[in-house]
Structures are given as C-alpha cells and as structure tokens.
Amino acid sequence: MNEAKSIAADHATGADSHRPFYRRIPRSLQPTGRLVAGVLFTFAVAAAGTALAELPGLSRLGPMVLAILLAVIYRQVAGYPVFLVSGIQFSSKVLLRLAIILYGFRVNIAMIAHQGWHMILQDLASVVLAIALTALFARWFRADGRLSFLLGVGTGVCGAAAIAAVAPLLKSRDEDTAAGVGLVALIGTVFTIAYTVIRPWLPISDLQFGLWAGSSLHEIAHVAAAAAPAGQGALAEAILAKLGRVALLVPLSLVLLGWLSRRGRSTDRAAFTFPWFLLGFVATSVITTYAPLTPAFLNAVSAVASWLLTAAMVGLGLNVELRQLLGRAARPLGAMLMASVVLSLVAYWLTVL
C-alpha cells in the first residue's frame, strides 16, 4: 500500500529518475507520452506471453498466465516502472473493464435457456458450491479471506474474467487479483489434463462428459480443451454448460454488491459503487443473442477481449511483490484445490443423475 502511494505521488509530482528516453519529450506532452508508453509496455509483455504460449509445453498455461508471470518477474528483477504508471493503471483498470464488456459477446442467452432448467440449475449449483466450499476450507485453513473468495468465484464462474469483474467490488489489491488469475489458471490446467486422461475409463457418454466438464472446469479454454477429444457434440454441450456459468456473473456481482453495501452502511457508505461495466456485459450478451452477428465478427471480438484482458493482467502482475504474496497464497491455494475436487465429484454425480 505504501509503495502504491509512493508511485502515485511520484506520478503526480512529475518526479522521474527512471525516464532517460522521456527527456526529449516536451514537458507538456509528458503525461500523454507516459500514458501511451505505459499501455504499449503492457501490450509488449502481453505479446511476449502470447508468443511463449506457442511453444511446446507452455501452450497449456496460455498467454494470460505467461504474461502475468513475465510481469511478476520483471517487477522482482527491475522494479516497478514508475515513469509508466499512468499507462499501466489505464490497462489494469480501463482496458480490464472493456475486456469484461466484450466478454459478454460470448454469452448467447437464448441458447443457454434452450438447454433447459436442468443445465441452468446444475450451473447455479456449481457456482454456489465452489464459492461456499472455498470459503469453508479457507476458514479451516485460516487462509486470507479476500484472496480465497476471489479464487472461489474464479473456480465457480469463469476464471480470470470473473475474478476481474468481482475484484473491484471487493476493493481487492491488484496483487491479489493477479495471483487469483494465475492460481485458477494453474489448477484449471491440472484438472483439464486429469479429465482428458480419465475420460476413456468413465462410464458416461460423450455428451455427459461434455456437460460434466462444462459445469466443473475453471476457464472456457479448459472446458474446450478437455471436451474436444470427446467429439463435437461433447464440445458443444460443454461450451453451453460453461456459458451458463458465465451468464451468472452479473447476478452474482449484483448480489455481492448488495451484501457489501449493507455491510458497509454503518462504516463507509461511499465505499461501494455500482459496477457500470457489468451493464455493458449485459448489453453485449443481449446483442449477441438477438442481433444477426457473423461468426467472423464474434471470433474477432473474442480475440480482442482476450488480448485486452491479457494486457490488463500485465498491469496487475506488475503490482505483485512475490515475497509477500507467497506467504499468503499457499493456504488459499489449498482451499481452492480441495473445493475444486469436491466440485468435480458433485458435478459428476449431478451429470449422471
């Protein structure tokens, strides 16, 4: 917290001992130059993470996790790039919210509703169970409550996008948000591999396997990777089940906002603000449901959303002080891991029923 204040103070006063290439920029243009340079810096790290994700063995981690890791490593080795703070914060806040809005184009409400109440109820059970179990195990392990809650939301809803959407409501630290995204992606990758390995020995159909994967795995990418080997039918079933969980992001956020507002009435009424970007998420979901959008357009928007979210995670990753985080992350990770195991078993049972 003190470091964040010093960064903001340094930016506000114009103090800059780290900017040799800014000395040639007129002083009146420095704020704009820093903003653009900071955004480009996050783009560069995001591009490096995307390139690494193409390498054998790293592809399962994905561009987002690799970009976060690069940002964390940069912070530990070179320190926080103070002279780019305005652009980095723009990426981690404004671009993050824009990515969430664009993420709504993935959610076709009509297709989800067409699958029937059994899938919607199973998705709802998965979200509630993941959050409740993570909170319960976190209490048993005496883990950090806020980070554990982020991990529960990421496990239950849709990984990084859900964590990014809920973190502003909780006033979470950027380092917790980045850690939550990384840990959920890591555990999700492990579970994806496990699902793929055990599928041939499970006494369920391919469509049932798709429903199980979609109602229990962490990210959309994890769901697709696990279900694809079972065939196109299983993949379609898995994606629809997963999108049902994504669609629950808005009602979950509103319930959380109301609960936090009620808790905060006696202490700080101004502490909670309505997350307007969630309305954008709803709007894009409605558009993709009822407007005649082409697959090419939807694929392009999805790619842009993933890119912006990756760049935003770079900004969050730069705030991670690794030595401080490691001491707090082990217990929340254990809580999330146990919750994920129980969620998988319950989701399997519900699928068979």
Side-chain angles (χ1 to χ4, degrees), residues 99-115:
I100 298 299
I101 292 173
L102 295 179
Y103 203 84
F105 279 106
R106 297 186 178 190
V107 182
N108 189 306
I109 302 171
M111 291 181 63
I112 296 170
H114 182 68
Q115 292 300 304

Side-chain angles (χ1 to χ4, degrees), residues 103 106-128 156-158 211 214-217 220 223 236-252 281 285:
Y103 203 84
R106 297 186 178 190
V107 182
N108 189 306
I109 302 171
M111 291 181 63
I112 296 170
H114 182 68
Q115 292 300 304
W117 286 104
H118 71 282
M119 178 180 287
I120 297 175
L121 290 176
Q122 183 163 340
D123 286 338
L124 179 61
S126 295
V127 172
V128 173
V157 185
C158 54
L211 176 58
S215 60
S216 59
L217 286 177
I220 289 182
V223 170
E237 188 80 2
I239 294 299
L240 282 174
K242 182 60 177 177
L243 291 180
R245 293 160 65 192
V246 177
L248 294 172
L249 175 60
V250 172
L252 170 65
F281 179 92
S285 300

Side-chain angles (χ1 to χ4, degrees), residues 10 25 49 63 71 87 102 128 146 165 178 194-195 217 238 256 260 285 300 304 338:
D10 179 74
I25 299 178
L102 295 179
V128 173
R146 191 163 299 186
Y195 274 40
L217 286 177
L256 178 61
L260 291 173
S285 300
V304 171
M338 291 187 64

Side-chain angles (χ1 to χ4, degrees), residues 248-263:
L248 294 172
L249 175 60
V250 172
L252 170 65
S253 298
L254 295 179
V255 169
L256 178 61
L257 182 68
W259 180 69
L260 291 173
S261 298
R262 178 171 298 181
R263 282 191 61 189

